[in-house]
Amino acid sequence: MDIELIRKYNVPGPRYTSYPTVPYWDKEGISLSDWKNTVLKSFKESNHQGISLYIHLPFCENLCTFCGCHKRITKRHEVEEPYIDSVIKEWQLYLGLFEEKPLIKEIHLGGGTPTFFSSASLTKLISGIVEHATIANKYEFSFEGHPNHTSKEQLQTLYDLGFRRVSFGVQDYNDKVQKTINRVQPFENVKEVHEWSKEIGYTSISHDLVFGLPHQTKENIQYTIDKTNELKPDRLAYYSYAHVPWIKGLGQRGFNENDLPKDEEKRELYELGKQLFDQNGYVEIGMDHFALKTDDMYEAMSENKLHRNFMGYTTNNTQLMIGLGMSSISDSWYSFAQNVKTVEEYQEIVNKGEFPIFKGHLLNEEDLILRKHILAIMCQFETSWEEPQTQSPIIDTAITKMGELVKDGLVEIDKNSLKVTEKGKPFVRNICMFFDARLNRAKPNTPTFSSTI
């Protein structure tokens, strides 16, 4: 990687799991009637293809000081049942909108720690969700598992409920790094749950790794990836640690900021990881993700079927995604809505029979056009505006400002299309930022330079 390019394009940028991104949603938000109307419109248009559900399970027994998720730390497992009851009640509110049975194509359990919940609680949850729905022929149920808090019984229970993909949070295997981020989990723990998953029959096992953690070095990354390669997961996520204690509070102040790898040092961690993944047979998928050629995510990328939403990259291109649980974000394609962010407020509102939404965004015509282009760039590394419905003055403005990207060999542009080069893939967010009208209007003097660090 050209070090001068790294320096030139190293400014934080959005991850573009949505457009517009959450900080640039309209301040007036979205009315409940508009949200319901767009959900119903999207459901009517797309239910024959299937919808997605994201279910947020926020509880964790311990606080990991690198984590930026919305969570509740507790060892009191009596919180499970009332929370699940509320999630099922929220789902029933959506069922009341639909004029036919929903066809579920995708369910993802995120957190928090989904495996905080007992096998009985997980069974109650999924049974309550699918009871009044139809499951698509080619569905994908997935969940996030904590290696220290996932039992063989839970893995078997979720498999019996239809789950075939699991993602284990590994982060880093170095003892000092693990102690600093309060996430101590020996390799043996990960190996055990990984091998249980294979034995039970899970068809896609993913490990999440993080670079840029406190005290992390190239030697740590080499060791972590070597150990990971011993297990050969089907997929890998390689995330950049985002240090935002001013947003996430005390959870991310468990170490000194001087302990974090800086700029070029952090970039070297990314480059080393990417090089090792390639040597171990993994193919880069979009941004931050890698997969073996035997995994269906590689197949989706090869067939231009890769999709991206608030859950990240997915092989299922669904138009409607309903988020259930506290802090969950839903996407009707025409609008976004986020639930309230505390367990107590969430349960109180849902138990009154009301939708627990506290903010959202209704996309306008410009948003919808730009969203398609940003999604195409993030998933297929190319986009075109030949058809009238894909055109916008913003595109003309963006292209005229991308001379430096062309000069540096990061993109190729002709009259009606743009293609990200191999050299440009690490800077895909930079390219999307040129199409981000709301970001550029809010911060017109901010350079649209960013990289994966």
Side-chain angles (χ1 to χ4, degrees):
M1 173 64 73
D2 187 330
I3 195 67
E4 292 304 319
L5 286 181
I6 295 171
R7 290 170 177 157
K8 180 176 182 178
Y9 293 102
N10 181 26
V11 177
R15 290 177 52 80
Y16 289 112
T17 50
S18 74
Y19 181 80
T21 56
V22 176
Y24 301 104
W25 288 0
D26 285 337
K27 291 182 180 179
E28 58 269 24
I30 187 172
S31 69
L32 185 57
S33 61
D34 280 341
W35 170 241
K36 290 180 179 179
N37 289 337
T38 60
V39 168
L40 188 55
K41 177 182 179 181
S42 190
F43 181 82
K44 288 178 178 178
E45 292 175 349
S46 67
N47 187 48
H48 65 284
Q49 297 174 328
I51 69 171
S52 294
L53 297 182
Y54 169 77
I55 305 174
H56 191 72
L57 302 177
F59 302 111
C60 299
E61 289 198 356
N62 304 99
L63 176 65
C64 302
T65 57
F66 73 94
C67 180
C69 300
H70 295 290
K71 67 271 184 184
R72 171 64 58 84
I73 308 302
T74 182
K75 294 184 184 293
R76 296 174 52 245
H77 284 264
E78 59 265 30
V79 300
E80 294 181 28
E81 186 171 357
Y83 185 81
I84 284 176
D85 288 341
S86 296
V87 171
I88 293 173
K89 287 178 183 178
E90 184 187 4
W91 174 233
Q92 289 169 345
L93 294 175
Y94 282 102
L95 291 174
L97 291 180
F98 304 150
E99 297 176 354
E100 61 183 21
K101 268 190 174 184
L103 179 67
I104 297 179
K105 192 171 185 180
E106 185 177 39
I107 294 178
H108 182 72
L109 307 182
T113 304
T115 49
F116 172 96
F117 288 76
S118 69
S119 293
S121 293
L122 292 168
T123 298
K124 180 179 180 179
L125 171 64
I126 301 305
S127 299
I129 294 296
V130 303
E131 181 181 4
H132 301 292
T134 302
I135 306 302
N137 290 330
K138 292 185 177 181
Y139 69 91
E140 181 177 277
F141 291 180
S142 58
F143 70 97
E144 298 164 13
H146 190 317
N148 290 351
H149 301 289
T150 301
S151 68
K152 191 172 185 180
E153 179 190 6
Q154 288 169 314
L155 288 168
Q156 185 66 60
T157 295
L158 287 165
Y159 183 88
D160 293 342
L161 290 167
F163 287 75
R164 296 294 181 269
R165 189 170 78 79
V166 56
S167 175
F168 293 117
V170 173
Q171 329 320 338
D172 187 288
Y173 283 122
N174 178 266
D175 290 341
K176 185 176 182 179
V177 173
Q178 289 190 356
K179 289 176 183 176
T180 302
I181 64 174
N182 199 37
R183 179 70 174 240
V184 178
Q185 52 186 34
F187 173 74
E188 290 70 27
N189 291 18
V190 179
K191 181 179 180 181
E192 184 174 53
V193 294
H194 181 100
E195 291 182 345
W196 282 343
S197 301
K198 290 184 70 174
E199 177 187 331
I200 289 169
Y202 282 84
T203 56
S204 183
I205 303 172
S206 178
H207 289 191
D208 293 348
L209 308 179
V210 177
F211 66 94
L213 292 170
H215 305 300
Q216 203 172 44
T217 65
K218 287 194 288 186
E219 289 73 24
N220 298 157
I221 294 295
Q222 178 83 50
Y223 177 74
T224 294
I225 293 177
D226 285 347
K227 299 300 288 183
T228 299
N229 197 46
E230 289 182 26
L231 301 178
K232 209 71 175 182
D234 303 281
R235 300 181 189 179
L236 292 167
Y238 195 44
Y239 295 120
S240 170
Y241 169 64
H243 190 62
V244 286
W246 53 92
I247 297 175
K248 294 301 178 183
L250 294 177
Q252 288 195 330
R253 292 191 186 276
F255 44 84
N256 192 309
E257 293 187 14
N258 292 328
D259 297 330
L260 297 170
K262 301 296 189 298
D263 299 335
E264 292 173 18
E265 183 183 5
K266 185 179 179 183
R267 182 69 199 194
E268 288 176 356
L269 300 182
Y270 170 77
E271 289 300 326
L272 175 60
K274 184 177 175 181
Q275 175 187 344
L276 293 172
F277 297 147
D278 181 68
Q279 291 174 2
N280 294 334
Y282 291 92
V283 179
E284 189 171 15
I285 308 291
M287 181 182 71
D288 304 333
H289 287 69
F290 300 81
L292 297 175
K293 290 186 178 180
T294 52
D295 190 81
D296 60 359
M297 183 164 277
Y298 173 79
E299 180 182 340
M301 183 192 72
S302 301
E303 297 177 356
N304 283 337
K305 293 180 180 178
L306 200 63
H307 184 54
R308 188 168 176 83
N309 55 29
F310 285 106
M311 296 186 285
Y313 285 108
T314 172
T315 60
N316 292 303
N317 191 345
T318 54
Q319 181 172 310
L320 176 61
M321 187 190 80
I322 299 296
L324 303 174
M326 59 86 86
S327 80
S328 287
I329 300 178
S330 298
D331 178 359
S332 73
W333 182 259
Y334 303 104
S335 64
F336 304 117
Q338 184 171 20
N339 287 348
V340 293
K341 294 183 179 181
T342 68
V343 173
E344 293 79 8
E345 187 178 9
Y346 169 74
Q347 292 182 174
E348 179 183 355
I349 294 172
V350 170
N351 291 337
K352 288 183 194 174
E354 301 172 3
F355 285 87
I357 292 162
F358 86 102
K359 71 175 181 179
H361 177 83
L362 185 65
L363 280 75
N364 60 31
E365 184 178 352
E366 178 190 87
D367 291 335
L368 290 168
I369 292 172
L370 297 180
R371 180 181 191 183
K372 290 178 182 178
H373 289 297
I374 288 174
L375 185 62
I377 294 169
M378 291 296 294
C379 294
Q380 280 81 48
F381 293 117
E382 60 184 347
T383 191
S384 71
W385 48 90
E386 188 170 2
E387 301 299 324
Q389 65 269 25
T390 63
Q391 296 171 0
S392 166
I394 301 300
I395 297 173
D396 297 331
T397 302
I399 296 305
T400 60
K401 293 182 178 181
M402 296 175 77
E404 286 294 304
L405 297 182
V406 175
K407 179 181 176 182
D408 290 332
L410 307 185
V411 295
E412 296 172 352
I413 301 173
D414 63 23
K415 183 179 179 182
N416 295 308
S417 67
L418 175 147
K419 184 175 182 178
V420 182
T421 66
E422 196 65 32
K423 185 179 180 181
K425 287 181 179 179
F427 305 99
V428 65
R429 280 190 281 185
N430 306 77
I431 298 160
C432 290
M433 289 166 73
F434 281 90
F435 289 83
D436 191 335
R438 288 180 177 268
L439 170 67
N440 293 324
R441 287 181 189 128
K443 299 179 179 180
N445 297 319
T446 298
T448 46
F449 295 154
S450 166
S451 71
T452 51
I453 68 170

